[in-house]
Amino acid sequence: MIRLLYIIICAQLVVLLPAQAAEHLVKSGESIQAAINKASKGDLIKVMPGTYRERGIIINKQLVLQGIGYPVLDGEKKYEVVTITADHVVVQGFEIIRSGYSSMDELAAVRIKQASYVGLRNNRLRENFFGIYCQHASFSLIANNDITSTGGSELEAGNGIHAWKSDHLVIDGNFISGHRDGIYFEFVTESTITNNKSHRNIRYGLHFMFSHQDIYTNNTFSENGAGVAVMYSRQVTMIRNHFLDNWGSAAYGILLKDISDSYAAYNEFSRNTAAIYMEGSSRLTIFANQFLQNGYGIRIQASCDNNVIRKNNFIANSFDIATNGSLVLNSFNENYWDKYEGYDLNRDGSGDVPYRPLSLFALIVERNNSAMMLFRSPMVGLLEKAEKIMPGITPEKLKDDQPSMKPFPL
Amino acid sequence: MIIATNVQKKFGRLVALDSISLSCNKGQTIALIGPNGSGKTTFIKCLLGMVIPDSGFITVNQENIHRTWEYRQHIGYMPQISRFPDNMTIEQVIDMVRDIRYKPGQQLDEELIEAFDLTRMYGKRMRTLSGGTRQKVSACLAFLFKPDILILDEPTAGLDPVASEILKAKILKEKAKGKLTLITSHVLSDLDDLVSELIYLQEGQLRFHESVAELQKKTGEAKLNRVMAQIMLQKTAQR
Amino acid sequence: MKKIIKYSLLDILRNRVILAYTALLAVVSISLFMMEDNPAKAVMSLMNISLLIVPLVSSIFCTIYLYNSAEFIELLVAQPIRRSRLLWGVYLGMITALLIALIMGIGLPLLILQPTVSGLSLFLTSAALTIVFSSLATLSAVLTRDKAKGIGVSLLLWFYFTFIYDGIVLLVLFQMADYPLETTMIGMSMLNPIDLGRIGMLLQLDISAMMGLTGALFQDFFGNGFGAILVILVMIGWMTIPVLFAIRRFKNKDL
């Protein structure tokens, strides 16, 4: 489906170019805006290397804007650099820098405003307030852009790729770093996010709200201030993503808040404070994910129900599962738990005694945070052993009846 | 050289020393005698600062010894039961004490080491030694630094007659040099010819402190054994 | 004093117990690194073990050694030496020997196999606990005349700090669950050198974030400079105060 959408957009971009398109050349010192104004629908404008300070370029007709040798478009920290208001526009091969900063307007390096079939490819964006801003955009491709900034605080930095009330976007192969949120989706539907790397952004690597039926695959989210947040959405598919090193006092691999009917599979969660933190989420399938060396594997709040956690690997996490209630409305099955100490006499590959992934201490800490002081105390070790043998405090039903004896090859 | 004034020491309810006052001078050889548990060893330990008196004070060479340690360089001490670190050899023990106590320019007195022929056993570990040999090591250490004051707690106990005689000869020799020697012993016959004064302690109290010559005159006996027997008899008669 | 340190150190290093201790530590740390593919996890396991063994061996060894060196002390007390220096010398000799064992048993393997900050902090924590428990053992040996009683007191102190204290903390946590307890917990952690060492280590081992997640105050307190300095000061207090008491007591003790 992703590929299909990709092909449709690319085909649209190519096919709709008129057969007898004219070519315009803009050299250093000349004006790109003048060339745009002069060009007619469907023309190709080639921009030669140089630095262009144009106080805001507006592309209001179907054009291809092609940078040769990465010409620099400079917003001088005052202007929005490129604004696209027409359908079927392609901007590629530019270095776009220093968009204006304003606390009133969200000025971006490139803004797609109420347009469809727009392509932004192979651009380098540096030191912008917002990187690419999609506003009422649809059927657009944002691919292979390198978006970095060295912005300071959350307030001073904008988002790398910001999409608002858009649909059918393909965001592929971008690298985003140093922005507030790497990728920000609000009211964006039926879009795909693939092969992106979102690294060291100030707040979230990916921030996702009220965006339904989206797919993201093969992305890497690492060392972001607070990891990834997916909130208030339905039918989200997350496959083969990597959530790495989101380590901090309020960091998550992924925060799932009010998510329903969604699917997370084959993802890798390594070295996160809490790999998955879920709250108010229902009917999620968490399947075949790898949880490695996280503080918490899954912190599942009592407000979650009907979630299925199956065939995942839990390896070297401090706590595999934590929860704040005693009601168990979610199912844990056939997972591999490295802390499992049972046996498999009938050699069917799954342990003969159930595994209880919620440790007594995790429960104590959940009830009373200060108990963290006793983490790894021998006393706590003794109590946990006792509780494992005779469960008294941890919920009886929170267990995996068929724990796998061997980790799954993921 | 040693002046004790009202020295008092209690161990719990037991009064070990009951206001002892006495003075000992240069050139004297004093026998400290008394029945078991009369406070002899406690008094000696007070002198060495090993036991701290509850009240009263002791001066050595006109200096109050309370909480000081320097005065101990004038004292050579041979304890009643000599205990040494088990793992060390004789040589190591002697070397260690020498190493710790030695001051540049100080002359050492190794006569006893030679007399006891200890060098032959230098390599032996302390735990393998007999009680007598330990006493010999202890005696050697007491005399090693040529101290002005010698305190010998039961020196001849456990020594064979030969060693005992060697030690007595050494005590006499040091006495001739004008040193103060304090000896406790149960075997009074060992002390004949050695001591010039007697101090008698009983139940922590000083019963008397007199010169041997005086006592011999009083009792008409020559041997210390007899002298003491006479005194005992007189005391019981007085009661 | 140097000479006393020298002689007691020589004496202890000839002791088979200290050799066995070194060997035990070395075997544990090397085998942990060999068995565990993840070195960070090996450091964690080594931490768990050393938090148990190091205080136990330090306190038992020091108590027994002090009783066994009664002869040595008796011999030297009659010599012109300051009493406090005598005990200081023996004490410093003991901790030097234990620290040498620690360097050989944990320090060198860590230096070769895991030369990281967490390895270093594991070593430093163990060293600090060695000193703390030697200090406590010295105090119990000086205070009790009877050998069995003294060893019992040392064992009890170890047991108290390792298990009972944490049990009390848990009890307080459960009883007072409705009150904000973070400050109290920080205070309580200061009262147990093992807890203090463990928390210090965990913060080094990046569990800090988890601590932060659960209680921001913990992270703020132990994470910042002031907290770190306070932790070090309290640790130094644990190292010195018992031995200072012991020496005060020893100066007035009848031998």
Side-chain angles (χ1 to χ4, degrees), chain A residues 247-249 273 293 295-296 299 318-319 364-365 368-379 382-383, chain C residues 38 44 47-48 162-163 166-167 170 173 177 182 185 189 195 198-199 202 206-207 209-214 218:
Chain A
W247 199 253
S249 55
T273 305
Q293 296 175 36
Y296 292 89
R299 286 187 85 182
S318 297
F319 301 128
I364 294 173
V365 168
N368 204 324
N369 293 334
S370 311
M372 204 62 210
M373 176 196 148
L374 296 175
F375 188 48
R376 286 185 181 275
S377 152
M379 184 69 194
L382 285 180
L383 285 178
Chain C
N38 178 3
M44 286 303 251
M47 179 197 92
N48 283 349
T162 306
F163 293 100
D166 288 356
L170 265 182
L173 275 171
E182 287 182 327
M185 284 299 116
S189 70
D195 280 355
R198 195 185 58 242
I199 292 169
L202 289 177
D206 264 19
I207 306 294
M210 285 181 69
M211 294 224 167
L213 192 68
T214 51
F218 250 41

Side-chain angles (χ1 to χ4, degrees), chain A residues 332-375:
Chain A
F332 296 84
N333 249 316
E334 296 170 72
N335 297 286
Y336 170 74
W337 313 91
D338 68 339
K339 296 181 185 70
Y340 181 58
E341 285 167 347
Y343 44 83
D344 178 22
L345 288 182
N346 55 10
R347 303 218 162 256
D348 62 352
S350 59
D352 300 345
V353 286
Y355 175 69
R356 300 177 189 284
L358 179 64
S359 75
L360 174 65
F361 187 56
L363 195 77
I364 294 173
V365 168
E366 204 68 32
R367 283 192 198 164
N368 204 324
N369 293 334
S370 311
M372 204 62 210
M373 176 196 148
L374 296 175
F375 188 48

Side-chain angles (χ1 to χ4, degrees), chain B residues 15-53:
Chain B
V15 182
L17 294 175
D18 191 0
S19 55
I20 302 282
S21 300
L22 49 81
S23 66
C24 312
N25 295 316
K26 228 177 156 189
Q28 290 178 332
T29 303
I30 302 169
L32 199 55
I33 53 180
N36 293 335
S38 57
K40 300 180 301 251
T41 300
T42 306
F43 181 67
I44 283 176
K45 285 190 168 179
C46 282
L47 280 181
L48 287 159
M50 291 166 79
V51 169
I52 293 152

